[in-house]
Amino acid sequence: MSYLEELNEVQRNAVTTKDGPILVVAGPGSGKTRVLTFKIAYLIEQGVAPWEILALTFTNKAAKEMKERISKVVGDKAHKVWAGTFHSIFARILRVEGQKLGYPSNFSIYDSADSKSLIGSIVKQMNFDSKNYNSNAILSRISSAKSNLISPAAYQQDSNLTNQDKINNRPYLYEIYAKYEERCKQAGAMDFDDLLYQLYVLLHNNPEGVREKYQQKFKYVLVDEFQDTNFLQSQIVKKLVHYEGSPCNICAVGDDAQSIYAFRGATIQNILDFKKDYEKQGVQVFKLEQNYRSTEHIVQAANEVITHNRNQIQKEIWSDKGAGNKIKVIKAISDTEEGRMVADTIREHKNRYHLSNSEIAVLYRTNAQSRIIEEYLRRQNLNYKIFGGQSFYQRKEVKDMIAYLRITTNPKDEEALKRVINYPKRGVGKSSIDKIIAFATENSISLWESLDKVSLPAKAANSILDFTKMIKSFQQVAEKADAYEAASIIVKKSGILDILKKDNSVEGTNRMENVNGLLDGIKDFVDNDEEVVGVEDKSLATFVQTISLFTDQDENVKNKEYITLMSVHAAKGLEFKSVIITGLEENLLPSFMSLESADGIAEERRLFYVAITRAEMFLTLTYAKSRIQYGKIRYNLPSRFLEEIDGSHIESTSSISSRKLNTPGQSKSGISGNFSSTRRAAPAMMIDPKDFHPSPSSDIAEGLEVLHLKFGKGKVVKVDGGAANRIATIHFDGIDNPERRIMLKFARLQIVQ
C-alpha cells in the first residue's frame, strides 16, 4: 500500500478508518479528492467488492476523475464501483425499479426547458393568466416542494404555501403542480427533481422490499461535497444506511466553510448536524487542515474572514508553502477604471511573473460584471473565456436534434414531440397541435397515442402520418444500429441538415458546426471502450439517458490557453496561480439580497472565503467607488469583508487608498482604518421600541404600509421568494438607498392600520 505513504497522518487515518459513520472536514486545498479516492481503493484492497461501494458526487467530471485515480491503485476494479452524480446513479436505479412506481424503464428526463414548456401548456389549457402563472416561478415552486418532500396533495393541505400563492396572485398553483405530475407520468417522463423525489418515494414506500435490496447492496456509501447536499439528498442517504443493525458505513467529505449553494436548495445544516444524526453509531471526525495550494498570506486572510461566521465547524487551516506575496487591494474610482486596472494587473502578472493565461482567473459576484472586464481584455489583446454562458446542450439546434433522438427512444416524450412535430415545418400548425394536446388531455393518453386518433384537417393529417412513419423508421434503425449510426441517419432524414445548409451566415455556420459537434460527441461515446457504470451498451437509448445528465462542468474545452472569467459560484473546486476578485462592495459582495439576514451574510462570507482560497500565489481584490447600474451611477462603500483581513497580509500600494494602512497588531481588522471612516453608521432607531408591535410575517403583503425600527415608515412594493424565504421589497422615505429587500422570516415589521 505504497499510496498510503503519500498521505499526511490525518489523511492516512481518514483513509484507513473503515467502518461506521465518518466525517472528513476538508479545508480548501487539503487533498480532499485524494483522501476520497484512496479510501475507496483501500476498501477494495481490504476485500470489499467494488460494486458494494456507492460514491456520490455532484458532477460527472468528479466521478470520472475519481475512477481514474482509483484505477491507478487497484486497476480495472475501479470501474465496478458505483460512482457518479446523485442524479445519474439514482436514474440508473429508477431505470430498473421505476416500474414499481408506474414509470417505464425508458422514461425520458425533462430538463428545465421541457418542464417550463409543459407548465406553459397546462397554464394555457386551464385558462390562467400567464403573467401571474409564470412558468419559471411555478417550476421553482414545484422544485422547492419536491426538494422538501411535499407532494401535490400535501402542498394543497399546507396553508402556509397556499396562502403565499394567494398573496402572489397564484391561488391555483397546487392544481398546476398536480396536473404537471400527472402529465409527466403520462409522458413517461421525470424531471431532474423527480430523480431524487421518486427514488425517495420508492425507498420510503418500499414495494417488494426494494429498500432492503439497496441497503444490502451498498455496504459503504461515500458522499463528496456533503455541504452541498439538500434536504432530500440527505434523507435518501439516511434511507440507504440507517436501518436495524446497520453499522452506518457512511463517509461524508466536505467543508461547511464552502457551503455556497443555498439558492439551489443546499443546506449547510446537513454537514453541521452530521454528528448528531449518526451519534448512536459513534461518529469519527477527521479535520484536514493543511492547505497544499496557497501561500501563508492567502490562507491566513481566509481564516480571518471565516472566523466572523458563528455557526461552523471550528478548524484552523495552515500552509507550509511560505509567506508568499501579500494581497493587493485596488481601489478604483469607477467600474470602468476597475476594468482597466484588472487588465493591467493581468498584463503585469504575465510579463513580470511569466504566468500563462490559463493560470489567471477573474472572479465576480454577478455575471453582469464581466462586460467591462471583457472590453479591457480585448483592448489589450488578452485571450479569455467566459464560463456560465449558454451551455452547448442548451443551444437551439442541439436541443432540436436531441429532441429527435429522445422521441425515437421514447415516443411518449411529450416535450420532445411538441418541439419537433412541426420542425422542420411540415404543415402542422398551432391549431392542429392544440387539438392534439386537448384530445390527449381529455382521453388521458400521451400525445403520441393521440396522433392517429384525433380528427385534423387533411393536410395536417397527412403530414402527421408521414411524421409518425418517419419516427417509426428511426426506431427500427435504433434497434439495430449503434447510437452514432442511428443519429447520423436521423439528422439527415429529419431535414434538420437541409435547413442549416441553406443558412450561409456566420450564425448558420456555427449552428451547423454545433450539430456536427453533437454527432462527434456521439461517435466518441460509441468508440470509447472504457467500462462506465450505468452504460451497458452503445445504443441510442443509452446515449440519450447519458446526455440528459450532462452539466456545464462536464463539457470539455480543447483550447485551455485563456484567462478564465467566471462567477465565484462557478469557481468552486478550481485553483489558479493568480486570482482577481472584483466588485468587493456593499450590495454586491455581500449581495444586497443578503443584508437583512444573518444567514445571508454568513453565506456571502463563505462565498468570499471560497474566492480567496482559489488563489495559489497571487490574490488581488478590487472595488469601485461608483458603478453604473440600471442606467444610473451608484456610489458604493467598500465591502465589510475587506475590513476582516489583517493589514499584515495587505500590500501597501498607492492603488489602495491615500490613507495609510494599519500596522500589524493595531486591530484584528487590520485594514479597517481604510474603510471604516467611509462607512455610514447604522441608522438610529426611528420608531420608539415601546410603541412597536411586530405583525406576523405571513401577513405582510404587497401594497401595505409598514413600520421598521431603523428605517421608519415604508410601503411594501413587492413580495417574492419561496414559502420559507419570502422577501419583501419596501420603499422607505427619508433614508439613503430607500428601497430595501428584507427577508420576512427575520424581519420585524408592524403593519400600519
Side-chain angles (χ1 to χ4, degrees):
M1 298 184 188
S2 59
Y3 62 90
L4 294 178
E5 298 173 6
E6 300 177 28
L7 306 174
N8 64 36
E9 184 178 357
V10 181
Q11 290 175 330
R12 189 159 51 250
N13 290 339
V15 166
T16 56
T17 300
K18 184 181 174 188
D19 297 325
I22 298 166
L23 176 62
V24 179
V25 183
S30 62
K32 169 184 71 74
T33 304
R34 172 178 289 190
V35 167
L36 191 61
T37 54
F38 282 4
K39 187 170 187 64
I40 295 172
Y42 180 81
L43 289 173
I44 294 172
E45 288 196 338
Q46 293 299 303
V48 179
W51 51 86
E52 294 178 336
I53 300 171
L54 172 63
L56 297 168
T57 68
F58 279 86
T59 68
N60 292 311
K61 179 182 176 182
K64 183 180 179 182
E65 180 183 346
M66 185 187 300
K67 285 190 176 184
E68 289 173 349
R69 290 195 181 196
I70 300 168
S71 65
K72 291 179 181 178
V73 180
V74 300
D76 292 340
K77 293 179 182 177
H79 298 303
K80 301 291 184 181
V81 175
W82 280 59
T85 65
F86 282 88
H87 290 91
S88 64
I89 292 293
F90 294 173
R92 184 185 179 191
I93 294 173
L94 287 167
R95 294 284 175 195
V96 177
E97 312 291 350
Q99 290 177 335
K100 296 181 176 68
L101 297 174
Y103 287 90
S105 60
N106 65 331
F107 62 83
S108 295
I109 299 174
Y110 280 1
D111 63 15
S112 60
D114 295 321
S115 296
K116 290 172 191 174
S117 175
L118 177 55
I119 288 169
S121 175
I122 293 169
V123 167
K124 183 177 179 181
Q125 288 171 19
M126 299 179 80
N127 293 317
F128 292 148
D129 186 345
S130 59
K131 292 180 181 178
N132 290 334
Y133 290 93
N134 175 274
S135 294
N136 284 326
I138 294 173
L139 179 60
S140 175
R141 197 82 163 145
I142 292 173
S143 176
S144 177
K146 289 181 181 178
S147 295
N148 288 285
L149 292 174
I150 300 172
S151 67
Y155 192 108
Q156 184 178 357
Q157 298 301 316
D158 191 317
S159 59
N160 288 330
L161 293 173
T162 53
N163 285 339
Q164 169 124 39
D165 290 337
K166 290 175 184 175
I167 291 171
N168 291 316
N169 295 317
R170 294 192 292 260
Y172 301 106
L173 194 148
Y174 68 91
E175 291 188 18
I176 297 174
Y177 181 12
K179 181 65 70 175
Y180 172 77
E181 288 295 277
E182 179 186 324
R183 291 278 289 275
C184 281
K185 202 160 190 178
Q186 285 176 5
M190 294 188 195
D191 62 22
F192 261 50
D193 293 308
D194 279 326
L195 298 178
L196 306 182
Y197 180 76
Q198 296 297 344
L199 183 67
Y200 179 87
V201 170
L202 183 73
L203 297 175
H204 180 73
N205 294 345
N206 199 28
E208 302 175 26
V210 69
R211 183 171 65 238
E212 289 78 12
K213 173 182 174 180
Y214 287 96
Q215 287 173 342
Q216 295 303 314
K217 181 176 183 61
F218 300 128
K219 299 292 194 299
Y220 291 84
V221 177
L222 300 92
V223 185
D224 192 13
E225 305 286 9
F226 196 74
Q227 77 282 346
D228 293 337
T229 55
N230 63 24
F231 172 74
L232 181 50
Q233 288 164 329
S234 71
Q235 292 303 306
I236 292 172
V237 169
K238 286 178 183 177
K239 287 284 185 188
L240 291 172
V241 301
H242 251 318
Y243 55 92
E244 187 75 25
S246 167
C248 280
N249 292 330
I250 175 175
C251 177
V253 182
D255 181 9
D256 60 296
Q258 298 185 66
S259 178
I260 60 173
Y261 294 123
F263 68 96
R264 293 182 186 170
T267 171
I268 192 174
Q269 288 305 129
N270 286 343
I271 192 167
L272 295 179
D273 293 344
F274 186 87
K275 288 178 68 175
K276 183 176 68 176
D277 289 342
Y278 296 93
E279 61 184 348
K280 289 184 179 179
Q281 290 77 23
V283 178
Q284 299 184 71
V285 180
F286 300 93
K287 295 181 181 179
L288 308 184
E289 297 175 302
Q290 182 176 359
N291 181 300
Y292 292 93
R293 175 187 301 154
S294 310
T295 53
E296 291 176 24
H297 281 304
I298 295 170
V299 168
Q300 290 309 314
N303 280 338
E304 288 162 7
V305 168
I306 205 63
T307 54
H308 288 76
N309 276 4
R310 294 180 181 178
N311 195 14
Q312 60 175 300
I313 300 172
Q314 294 299 323
K315 55 187 173 297
E316 186 72 20
I317 307 302
W318 59 277
S319 169
D320 63 359
K321 293 174 73 77
N325 299 278
K326 288 191 175 185
I327 299 165
K328 187 175 182 180
V329 178
I330 295 176
K331 178 185 72 175
I333 301 300
S334 65
D335 48 0
T336 54
E337 186 183 46
E338 181 187 46
R340 177 181 62 77
M341 287 177 159
V342 167
D344 289 345
T345 300
I346 291 172
R347 181 63 69 186
E348 179 191 4
H349 285 177
K350 287 173 64 64
N351 294 340
R352 183 176 176 184
Y353 302 109
H354 309 293
L355 298 188
S356 65
N357 286 342
S358 61
E359 294 173 321
I360 303 170
V362 181
L363 308 182
Y364 33 76
R365 179 63 178 83
T366 65
N367 288 318
Q369 291 170 248
S370 72
R371 181 183 60 82
I372 292 173
I373 297 168
E374 287 184 74
E375 288 181 10
Y376 281 94
L377 294 182
R378 283 197 295 266
R379 290 183 191 184
Q380 296 207 25
N381 199 28
L382 292 166
N383 190 27
Y384 67 90
K385 180 177 176 64
I386 291 184
F387 287 79
Q390 191 179 39
S391 163
F392 175 82
Y393 295 102
Q394 293 301 317
R395 294 168 187 169
K396 180 186 181 302
E397 60 278 4
V398 176
K399 285 184 71 70
D400 290 337
M401 183 61 204
I402 290 175
Y404 269 105
L405 305 185
R406 280 168 46 178
I407 197 173
T408 298
T409 59
N410 175 19
K412 288 186 177 182
D413 188 327
E414 180 174 331
E415 293 308 307
L417 179 59
K418 286 192 294 186
R419 189 176 187 95
V420 301
I421 194 169
N422 197 42
Y423 180 77
K425 290 184 178 179
R426 52 175 61 87
V428 183
K430 183 176 179 299
S431 60
S432 294
I433 295 173
D434 288 345
K435 284 183 180 179
I436 294 168
I437 294 172
F439 184 87
T441 303
E442 289 168 6
N443 293 277
S444 297
I445 59 177
S446 68
L447 296 191
W448 177 261
E449 292 169 318
S450 70
L451 292 182
D452 62 350
K453 297 179 177 66
V454 63
S455 177
L456 296 173
K459 182 180 179 181
N462 290 332
S463 295
I464 290 292
L465 180 61
D466 292 338
F467 174 75
T468 55
K469 286 181 179 178
M470 178 178 68
I471 298 300
K472 288 176 181 178
S473 72
F474 292 167
Q475 291 172 333
Q476 292 174 351
V477 170
E479 287 175 2
K480 301 175 183 177
D482 63 35
Y484 178 72
E485 292 171 353
S488 298
I489 291 172
I490 291 170
V491 73
K492 291 175 184 175
K493 293 192 174 181
S494 65
I496 290 179
L497 275 186
D498 293 335
I499 289 179
L500 295 178
K501 286 177 180 177
K502 292 176 182 177
D503 187 353
N504 295 320
S505 67
V506 174
E507 292 78 11
T509 301
N510 289 337
R511 285 192 284 270
M512 187 73 177
E513 289 174 354
N514 287 335
V515 170
N516 286 329
L518 176 62
L519 289 173
D520 290 343
I522 300 174
K523 187 74 166 66
D524 183 62
F525 167 82
V526 170
D527 292 344
N528 189 347
D529 293 326
E530 181 182 73
E531 183 181 355
V532 179
V533 170
V535 179
E536 289 81 14
D537 56 54
K538 305 295 183 178
S539 70
L540 186 63
T542 301
F543 173 78
V544 169
Q545 176 188 345
T546 305
I547 211 75
S548 299
L549 298 163
F550 276 4
T551 68
D552 290 356
Q553 291 174 305
D554 298 315
E555 292 187 37
N556 293 317
V557 181
K558 294 180 181 178
N559 176 20
K560 294 188 177 182
E561 192 42 47
Y562 48 75
I563 298 156
T564 296
L565 272 62
M566 60 169 51
S567 71
V568 182
H569 282 102
K572 186 168 171 290
L574 304 178
E575 56 187 46
F576 304 89
K577 286 189 176 177
S578 171
V579 169
I580 303 168
I581 308 173
T582 62
L584 279 161
E585 301 137 31
E586 289 291 293
N587 294 314
L588 195 50
L589 185 59
S591 164
F592 74 94
M593 294 183 68
S594 71
L595 297 182
E596 298 297 332
S597 156
D599 287 345
I601 291 292
E603 174 137 346
E604 292 291 297
R605 186 175 283 111
R606 293 194 295 269
L607 193 62
F608 184 44
Y609 176 85
V610 166
I612 291 173
T613 54
R614 299 311 93 200
E616 298 176 16
M617 297 171 58
F618 303 96
L619 177 61
T620 307
L621 311 176
T622 75
Y623 69 97
K625 293 183 69 176
S626 66
R627 192 174 293 276
I628 296 178
Q629 291 180 304
Y630 310 112
K632 298 179 180 179
I633 295 178
R634 177 167 291 181
Y635 295 94
N636 313 301
L637 297 174
S639 170
R640 68 190 70 194
F641 301 148
L642 288 169
E643 297 178 12
E644 298 171 357
I645 302 175
D646 193 283
S648 61
H649 305 304
I650 304 296
E651 176 185 337
S652 179
T653 77
S654 58
S655 302
I656 302 174
S657 173
S658 59
R659 301 179 185 86
K660 289 185 178 180
L661 286 166
N662 286 352
T663 55
Q666 275 190 289
S667 69
K668 174 64 180 173
S669 346
I671 58 176
S672 61
N674 296 306
F675 304 115
S676 295
S677 60
T678 63
R679 184 187 304 285
R680 294 185 182 89
M685 293 290 187
M686 298 181 70
I687 306 295
D688 188 336
K690 286 184 287 187
D691 300 327
F692 184 76
H693 304 287
S695 305
S697 63
S698 59
D699 293 347
I700 305 299
E702 184 178 324
L704 293 177
E705 288 191 331
V706 294
L707 297 176
H708 188 282
L709 279 172
K710 290 185 178 180
F711 304 138
K713 189 175 181 180
K715 184 173 182 179
V716 181
V717 178
K718 181 176 67 172
V719 176
D720 53 24
N725 298 294
R726 295 176 66 219
I727 298 173
T729 302
I730 305 175
H731 184 91
F732 294 98
D733 293 324
I735 67 169
D736 293 330
N737 299 321
E739 196 161 281
R740 304 291 179 120
R741 283 175 61 80
I742 296 178
M743 182 79 75
L744 288 180
K745 69 179 178 181
F746 298 110
R748 288 168 57 80
L749 297 168
Q750 178 181 332
I751 297 173
V752 178
Q753 300 298 330

